[in-house]
Amino acid sequence: EAGVVQSPRYKIIEKKQPVAFWCNPISGHNTLYWYRQNLGQGPELLIRYENEEAVDDSQLPKDRFSAERLKGVDSTLKIQPAELGDSAVYLCASSLRSVGNIQYFGAGTRLSVL
Amino acid sequence: RKEVEQDPGPFNVPEGATVAFNCTYSNSASQSFFWYRQDCRKEPKLLMSVYSSGNEDGRFTAQLNRASQYISLLIRDSKLSDSATYLCVVNDYDDYKLSFGAGTTVTVRA
């Protein structure tokens, strides 16, 4: 069975440019998460989806970040415009509610903003 | 105060040694607990869930102390392949929010 798939793996952009990340969760997982992980820190939740509904976006910087999960399957996270401080690894995870919220992570997108 | 706090280490131990470390959590209503393992430049992967009665998985033993609000992980007979960062994860069941610690780095040397 395929795991959580993310693309691209790496992205280098100049500040003020837009960037988008894509995630395809494990088939059948209704809950999808986007996390940001800075060096030496644990992942921090940006947004959580239950199917196509964003149920927790309290930590998403809404002035520049947006996300969508239109059909309740794959998801896109966008930053526009990017700032130097956005350099981090962006992780997508998915889980199945009935299995104790064990989350499975994708390999992440490593973003460098120059 | 962070919701989940861990000793960052690093713990440098020889092969075959036992290493143990803790994490503390602030939300007394937390319902479930996990240890995730993260290798350098890789994604976190579930190592084990932590049950109230304590549990073992091979060389790994996890303990939960609800009264003192801490979780521990013990690794026996350390292998080189155990070198990684271990993330303590706490679940607030009401809103399915996972809170991650910053991780404890373990390096096992030959």
Side-chain angles (χ1 to χ4, degrees), chain A:
Chain A
E1 180 182 340
V4 178
V5 179
Q6 289 189 247
S7 68
R9 288 295 313 278
Y10 305 93
K11 191 73 178 178
I12 301 173
I13 61 172
E14 294 187 347
K15 63 181 181 181
K16 300 185 182 180
Q17 295 299 306
V19 65
F21 316 124
W22 177 79
C23 171
N24 195 31
I26 292 173
S27 178
H29 281 195
N30 52 327
T31 309
L32 182 147
Y33 312 77
W34 282 103
Y35 290 89
R36 177 169 58 190
Q37 186 173 25
N38 291 306
L39 191 64
Q41 300 296 317
E44 295 179 333
L45 181 69
L46 292 173
I47 190 167
R48 171 167 67 95
Y49 283 93
E50 293 289 344
N51 301 305
E52 66 276 6
E53 181 182 359
V55 296
D56 183 358
D57 63 355
S58 56
Q59 301 302 312
L60 189 72
K62 298 181 184 63
D63 56 337
R64 298 183 299 107
F65 285 64
S66 64
E68 60 183 18
R69 192 186 186 198
L70 294 176
K71 296 183 179 179
V73 180
D74 59 339
S75 176
T76 302
L77 178 68
K78 297 179 181 178
I79 308 175
Q80 183 171 10
E83 296 180 351
L84 296 176
D86 296 331
S87 295
V89 177
Y90 291 83
L91 292 162
C92 179
S94 69
S95 69
L96 195 57
R97 249 182 184 266
S98 61
V99 192
N101 198 27
I102 294 173
Q103 298 185 14
Y104 298 87
F105 286 82
T109 296
R110 188 172 297 273
L111 174 68
S112 296
V113 182
L114 306 178

Side-chain angles (χ1 to χ4, degrees), chain B residues 31 34 48 57 83 103:
Chain B
Q31 297 286 337
F34 308 94
M48 59 196 300
D57 184 359
S83 297

Side-chain angles (χ1 to χ4, degrees), chain B residues 7-82:
Chain B
D7 181 343
F11 288 79
N12 292 302
V13 299
E15 272 188 294
T18 296
V19 59
F21 40 89
N22 294 338
C23 116
T24 59
Y25 60 95
S26 60
N27 184 357
S28 59
S30 298
Q31 297 286 337
S32 55
F33 310 89
F34 308 94
W35 284 103
Y36 275 69
R37 171 194 169 126
Q38 188 169 27
D39 294 305
C40 188
R41 301 177 76 87
K42 299 286 189 179
E43 72 274 22
K45 293 183 178 179
L46 179 68
L47 177 68
M48 59 196 300
S49 301
V50 185
Y51 303 123
S52 295
S53 56
N55 49 299
E56 282 190 18
D57 184 359
R59 298 179 294 106
F60 297 83
T61 300
Q63 296 280 352
L64 168 64
N65 185 317
R66 285 191 182 272
S68 301
Q69 294 182 207
Y70 75 84
I71 308 148
S72 65
L73 182 67
L74 182 146
I75 308 173
R76 284 187 301 277
D77 188 23
S78 299
K79 311 293 184 189
L80 294 175
S81 57
D82 294 334

Side-chain angles (χ1 to χ4, degrees), chain B residues 1-8 22-26 71 88 100-104:
Chain B
R1 181 184 173 189
K2 291 185 178 179
E3 293 186 46
V4 181
E5 299 205 42
Q6 294 185 248
D7 181 343
N22 294 338
C23 116
T24 59
Y25 60 95
S26 60
I71 308 148
C88 175
F100 287 78
T104 297

